[in-house]
């Protein structure tokens, strides 16, 4: 006797919706994406239009493939090091290609499912909590540099939240906040000129680029991608949508999109639990939100192809969005089976980095498990 089919299989693929709520949710993760991409474009010799073009492409593909608002984000560790040290295009491409090969291989051989079954839930929740604290710290920097628009953004989000509770109004606060920011930038600096997107050029790292990327970029990025972009995102799809997105599937798409995009000027990309929480918080429920986000990124590639143009959006807008994305992610991190392990990881992620928090938390979780067995 065959096993009963899952609801998704019985009813067909989840439909894509293009409602105002999906539109609002589509920009929920922009507060994470744009500061990193802008920072890299300001410091490194990369083509911002091509980076946005590949974000547009993969947002659409992700939405159609997963039928859920599975986000596309820049690799955060690579982005942070690129901004701090001004990496070359070859070094950035080398990191993306190595990450692509690793996660495509791991996803194809079922290693992510194997890892998920052996990494305690409290560790994954700790990564979520740590990322929430890091997002809050980042948002405070934006709040301090631009308190006016940060205050406006927070006020808009709170008002929509209260209106949604009282009158069941659709929470389109993220959309309103972004519109206010763009409008303010246009008023002060004028409408940016449309520009043609240059044809992608082949960027192939040499041996020195690959060695540098393998030694200094991939090690800090790997555990972050493993935990936040894959395991935590897979777990969060169950929390938010009651849908199982296998970690091996997420690993394969991360591998493919890096191997396809990075050699042609795209920035290394992944998924992310923070982005998923943010998009859901502001209304995204289907892959339609991703398709809309892809269209917006295509617009950025056409109209905001220079860092100066993108800088029209006040930093306070990003800060306001980040705070509520962090709260949403932190809320789900409380669904842990060990507050001690989750708390230790969160604190270490904030004070040191997520990699250290993950390793220490994993050791602590297994030590506690062994201690309980002896009792």
């Amino acid at each position: 006797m065959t096993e009963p089919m899952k609801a998704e299989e019985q009813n067909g693929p989840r439909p894509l919706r293009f409602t105002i709520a999906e539109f609002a949710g589509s920009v929920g993760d922009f507060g994470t994406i744009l500061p990193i991409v802008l920072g890299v474009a300001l410091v490194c010799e990369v083509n911002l239009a091509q980076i946005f073009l590949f974000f547009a492409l993969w947002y659409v593909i992700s939405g159609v493939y997963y039928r859920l608002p599975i986000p596309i984000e820049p690799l955060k560790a690579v982005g942070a090091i690129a901004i701090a040290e001004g990496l070359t295009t070859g070094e950035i491409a080398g990191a993306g290609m190595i990450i692509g090969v690793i996660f495509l291989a791991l996803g194809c051989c079922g290693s992510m499912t194997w890892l998920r079954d052996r990494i305690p839930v409290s560790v994954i929740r700790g990564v979520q909590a740590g990322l929430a604290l890091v997002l809050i710290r980042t948002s405070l920097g934006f709040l301090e540099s631009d308190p006016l628009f940060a205050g406006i953004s927070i006020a808009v989000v709170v008002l929509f939240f209260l209106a949604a509770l009282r009158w069941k109004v659709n929470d389109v606060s993220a959309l309103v906040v972004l519109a206010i920011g763009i409008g303010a930038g246009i008023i002060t600096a004028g409408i940016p000129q449309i520009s043609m997107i240059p044809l992608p050029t082949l960027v192939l790292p040499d041996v020195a680029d690959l060695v540098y990327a393998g030694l200094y970029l991939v090690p800090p990025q790997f555990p972050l991608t493993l935990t936040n972009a894959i395991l935590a995102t897979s777990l969060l799809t169950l929390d938010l949508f009651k849908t199982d997105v296998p970690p091996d599937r997420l690993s394969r798409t991360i591998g493919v999109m890096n191997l396809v995009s990075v050699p042609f000027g795209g920035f290394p990309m992944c998924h992310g639990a923070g982005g998923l929480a943010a998009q859901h918080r502001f209304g995204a429920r289907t892959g339609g939100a991703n398709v809309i986000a892809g269209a917006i990124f295509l617009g950025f590639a056409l109209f905001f192809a220079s860092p100066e143009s993108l800088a029209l959006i006040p930093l306070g807008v990003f800060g306001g969005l980040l705070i509520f994305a962090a709260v949403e992610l932190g809320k789900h991190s409380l669904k842990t089976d060990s507050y001690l392990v989750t708390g230790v990881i969160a604190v270490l992620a904030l004070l040191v980095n997520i990699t250290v928090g993950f390793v220490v938390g994993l050791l602590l979780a297994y030590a506690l498990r062994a201690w309980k067995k002896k009792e």
Side-chain angles (χ1 to χ4, degrees):
M1 186 175 180
T2 58
E3 295 182 2
M5 291 187 296
K6 295 180 181 179
E8 279 186 290
E9 296 170 341
Q10 291 175 333
N11 302 327
R14 182 189 293 262
L16 302 180
R17 295 201 297 264
F18 299 94
T19 63
I20 189 66
E22 299 289 338
F23 195 176
S26 70
V27 302
D29 197 27
F30 282 22
T32 301
I33 299 170
L34 295 182
I36 295 175
V37 171
L38 175 59
V40 171
L42 289 171
V43 174
C44 307
E45 293 184 359
V46 296
N47 190 299
L48 191 58
Q50 291 177 354
I51 291 175
F52 281 141
L53 179 62
F54 282 109
F55 266 100
L57 173 66
W58 287 106
Y59 251 105
V60 172
I61 292 174
S62 177
V64 173
Y65 179 60
Y66 286 108
R67 321 296 287 191
L68 292 169
I70 303 294
I72 307 297
E73 299 181 345
L75 296 184
K76 296 180 181 65
V78 174
I81 297 172
I83 294 170
E85 301 186 12
L87 300 181
T88 66
T89 54
E91 291 165 344
I92 293 172
M97 294 176 70
I98 294 173
I99 288 289
V101 169
I102 290 173
F103 284 99
L104 179 59
L106 290 175
C108 287
C109 66
S111 298
M112 286 301 158
T113 300
W114 185 87
L115 287 169
R116 180 186 62 180
D117 295 339
R118 285 156 180 80
I119 296 177
V121 172
S122 58
V123 174
I124 300 175
R125 297 300 190 190
V127 171
Q128 289 180 321
L131 182 58
L133 293 178
V134 171
L135 289 177
I136 289 176
R137 181 177 63 191
T138 304
S139 70
L140 292 178
F142 292 140
L143 295 177
E144 185 178 356
S145 63
D146 186 9
L148 174 60
F149 277 97
I152 293 173
S153 301
I154 293 173
V156 169
V157 173
V158 171
L159 286 174
F160 269 95
F161 175 75
L162 296 176
L165 289 178
R166 180 65 177 82
W167 297 293
K168 306 300 181 183
V169 174
N170 286 334
D171 187 347
V172 295
S173 54
L175 190 60
V176 172
V177 166
L178 191 64
I180 290 173
I182 294 175
I186 291 175
I187 290 173
T188 57
I191 299 175
Q193 293 182 347
I194 190 170
S195 59
M196 295 298 294
I197 303 174
L199 292 174
T201 55
L202 193 62
V203 181
L204 292 178
D206 57 27
V207 174
D209 293 329
L210 291 172
V211 170
Y212 179 88
L215 291 176
Y216 299 105
L217 301 178
V218 174
Q221 183 61 58
F222 177 81
L224 185 59
T225 301
L226 169 66
T227 52
N228 175 60
I230 297 176
L231 299 182
T233 300
S234 178
L235 187 58
L236 198 59
T237 58
L238 285 173
D239 292 335
L240 299 176
F241 304 102
K242 311 304 179 188
T243 301
D244 181 24
V245 177
D248 286 308
R249 195 177 177 189
L250 294 168
S251 185
R252 289 193 294 269
T253 54
I254 288 174
V256 169
M257 66 187 179
N258 279 293
L259 291 176
V260 170
S261 306
V262 171
F264 296 99
F267 192 80
M269 295 175 284
C270 63
H271 302 301
L276 182 60
Q279 292 185 175
H280 181 274
R281 163 66 185 81
F282 291 108
R285 296 295 183 272
T286 76
N290 276 33
V291 176
I292 295 170
I296 295 173
F297 274 113
L298 181 60
F300 282 159
L302 290 169
F303 290 96
F304 293 87
S306 68
E308 293 77 17
S309 296
L310 190 59
L312 292 177
I313 304 175
L315 291 177
V317 168
F318 301 137
L321 294 178
L322 277 178
I323 282 183
F324 290 93
V327 170
E328 182 72 15
L329 188 61
K331 179 177 66 177
H332 292 285
S333 72
L334 297 176
K335 301 172 184 177
T336 180
D337 54 7
S338 174
Y339 286 105
L340 174 61
V341 172
T342 298
V344 167
I345 295 173
V347 171
L348 287 176
L350 181 64
L351 298 180
V352 188
N353 57 55
I354 290 179
T355 301
V356 172
F358 168 71
V359 172
V360 173
L362 188 63
L363 293 174
L364 177 60
Y366 272 103
L368 290 174
R369 183 177 295 181
W371 181 65
K372 288 180 180 179
K373 286 182 179 180
K374 289 182 180 180
E375 289 185 330

